Amino acid sequence: MCVDALANKNNREQYTVEDKRNIYAMLLARNGERGRLKDGVLDSVVHDGNCSRRCVSRIWKETKTGGGVNSIKNNLKLKTGRKKMSLDIEALEAIPPGERTTIRQVAAGLNMSKSTVHHRLKEKVMRRVSNELKPSLTEANKKARVAYCLDNLEPSSLEDNPTFKANFNKVHLDEKIFYRTRKTHKMYLSHRDEAPKRECKHKNHIQQIMFLSAMARPRYDSQGNCVFDGKIGVWAFVDWVQAQKKSANRGRGEWELKPSSSVDRNKSREYIVQYVLPAIKEKWPESDRWNTVYIQQDNARTHVLANDPIFAMEAAKGGWDIRIVNQPPNSPDCNILDQACMREIIKHKGSMHYDTPHMKKKTLDR
């Protein structure tokens, strides 16, 4: 029985008390109570018990000098090393929020080392969040936000399971400013690569350019094939200007293309009429050709008014019914491309202070 208990045991440095007593029982069965081990007993126990000669010899000596089987014990301590330092949650919450923006500040406020605070962060005892500055909303703004979200609910679903409208007939229009480069770029290079040499005249005056983007919801057929990707187009706000000075690249007075210095309502109307409307009429699905198409934009002051006569005249060409609608004031999260935000707006009664929901699209795709 003792042999079977240790036959499949892997070699290891530490043995339990039960393992040591099994080894001692094997020694007694083959050697008896004699003080000196017989020839071959030590090797046979090492082979059958799958343990080291040093371990068997030590067990035999301890039992002879300590008083038999009761002297067998495990001297391994249950817990060794320094005790784990716990993070005081109440002390963390007592630190003003503006004074715990870095691990260094938190460690100083708690009188702990930075490595300890970092370990507690990895153990999720505390969490790190990005606190975003949100637009200030009035009560009228909040009511308008809730009303907008409620208007986007499908009327037939209100009694059982409220769902939002598909909004396939809306085109979301928005602008985005990009800098030509950044002050600092992080990159990974091999030992043979040389870091790029980037230069500019002034680091605080990096050239920027604004883009206009138009996007609609994609459409799929019954087999799941994409029949319309929703990508209307992206255009840069640029102007043709005459060079004021002579340079190595062009002479004085030659025309060159440069980013627009400012974008006002006239510029916005020009791009919608010349680029957005033709792109919609060219790419819009033929099956939805005679239905109303809405161009949704935010409430920026430089945007085209919904009743603009020039836009209305150009939009109606070819028998199209294209109209402009605006999002609620101070509501960049009310676009038709992210309906999950509308649910949070209704739950929080129009407030902007909610955690942005993530749809986990990559997980759904997998």
Side-chain angles (χ1 to χ4, degrees):
M1 294 178 62
C2 297
V3 175
D4 294 337
L6 296 172
N8 297 322
K9 191 174 186 62
N10 295 326
N11 290 332
R12 60 180 185 179
E13 297 180 358
Q14 301 296 336
Y15 293 86
T16 63
V17 175
E18 183 180 357
D19 294 337
K20 293 181 178 180
R21 289 182 177 178
N22 288 333
I23 294 173
Y24 179 61
M26 295 169 60
L27 291 170
L28 288 179
R30 303 179 186 189
N31 190 75
E33 295 289 345
R34 301 177 58 182
R36 184 181 180 87
L37 291 174
K38 298 178 182 179
D39 293 338
V41 173
L42 181 63
D43 292 336
S44 65
V45 173
V46 168
H47 179 268
D48 296 338
N50 194 20
C51 52
S52 65
R53 292 175 57 88
R54 180 181 178 182
C55 175
V56 176
S57 177
R58 185 172 61 249
I59 292 174
W60 180 255
K61 291 179 180 179
E62 289 177 355
T63 54
K64 293 294 111 179
T65 59
V69 69
N70 293 327
S71 63
I72 298 177
K73 58 182 180 180
N74 197 337
N75 297 323
L76 179 65
K77 295 181 180 180
L78 297 178
K79 293 184 179 180
T80 59
R82 295 185 302 172
K83 293 184 178 180
K84 180 179 178 180
M85 293 185 64
S86 61
L87 190 144
D88 191 348
I89 299 298
E90 295 182 357
L92 175 65
E93 295 174 350
I95 303 174
E99 297 179 7
R100 41 180 159 141
T101 58
T102 62
I103 291 182
R104 183 188 297 272
Q105 289 180 328
V106 174
L110 297 176
N111 195 22
M112 302 172 66
S113 66
K114 293 184 295 183
S115 59
T116 302
V117 175
H118 186 264
H119 290 328
R120 300 296 90 81
L121 177 63
K122 291 296 183 181
E123 295 170 359
K124 297 185 179 180
V125 177
M126 54 187 292
R127 62 192 179 104
R128 176 168 45 206
V129 298
S130 297
N131 189 257
E132 184 182 358
L133 191 63
K134 302 292 184 70
S136 178
L137 298 177
T138 64
E139 290 299 323
N141 293 152
K142 294 179 181 179
K143 292 180 181 179
R145 286 163 57 84
V146 175
Y148 173 82
C149 297
L150 294 177
D151 288 341
N152 277 275
L153 289 174
E154 193 67 47
S156 60
S157 65
L158 294 178
E159 295 183 359
D160 300 328
N161 184 23
T163 56
F164 287 98
K165 298 177 182 178
N167 285 326
F168 286 114
N169 61 336
K170 284 188 178 181
V171 177
H172 181 64
L173 199 67
D174 203 0
E175 300 88 5
K176 178 67 176 179
I177 295 177
F178 292 93
Y179 285 92
R180 188 168 186 176
T181 185
R182 296 181 181 178
K183 290 185 180 180
T184 305
H185 264 310
K186 290 184 178 179
M187 58 188 68
Y188 296 93
L189 305 174
S190 68
H191 295 290
R192 297 178 297 179
D193 286 337
E194 184 180 355
K197 298 175 182 177
R198 304 185 303 128
E199 298 177 351
C200 69
K201 292 184 178 181
H202 201 296
K203 292 192 294 184
N204 292 334
H205 295 85
I206 299 176
Q207 191 179 43
Q208 60 184 13
I209 184 171
M210 179 183 290
F211 288 86
L212 177 66
S213 175
M215 171 70 70
R217 292 194 62 186
R219 306 188 188 189
Y220 300 87
D221 58 15
S222 57
Q223 285 76 31
N225 301 317
C226 182
V227 296
F228 175 59
D229 59 8
K231 299 176 183 178
I232 305 300
V234 179
W235 304 271
F237 285 101
V238 293
D239 294 314
W240 285 99
V241 297
Q242 286 184 300
Q244 301 296 321
K245 296 181 180 180
K246 180 181 178 181
S247 69
N249 300 322
R250 71 304 175 258
R252 183 176 181 272
E254 292 187 7
W255 292 93
E256 58 181 349
L257 195 65
K258 284 193 172 184
S260 300
S261 58
S262 63
V263 178
D264 54 10
R265 181 168 296 171
N266 293 329
K267 193 70 174 179
S268 298
R269 184 192 301 112
E270 173 189 345
Y271 268 65
I272 290 178
V273 170
Q274 292 187 5
Y275 301 107
V276 178
L277 289 178
I280 292 176
K281 295 178 181 180
E282 177 186 355
K283 299 181 180 180
W284 203 253
E286 187 65 28
S287 59
D288 204 18
R289 161 71 173 79
W290 302 105
N291 295 329
T292 304
V293 180
Y294 296 95
I295 298 178
Q296 178 178 292
Q297 59 183 5
D298 56 36
N299 255 311
R301 295 180 181 179
T302 59
H303 282 174
V304 181
L305 299 177
N307 57 355
D308 188 89
I310 299 178
F311 167 81
M313 181 181 63
E314 295 294 332
K317 289 183 178 179
W320 287 81
D321 184 11
I322 304 177
R323 308 176 188 179
I324 288 181
V325 293
N326 293 325
Q327 298 171 201
N330 301 322
S331 302
D333 53 346
C334 286
N335 63 70
I336 53 103
L337 302 180
D338 197 354
Q339 297 180 350
C341 289
M342 296 188 187
R343 299 191 187 98
E344 300 298 322
I345 293 173
I346 296 175
K347 291 179 183 178
H348 293 80
K349 300 180 180 179
S351 174
M352 269 199 173
H353 297 287
Y354 60 84
D355 294 333
T356 304
H358 295 279
M359 304 302 293
K360 299 182 179 179
K361 294 181 179 179
K362 291 185 178 180
T363 303
L364 295 176
D365 291 340
R366 289 196 298 268

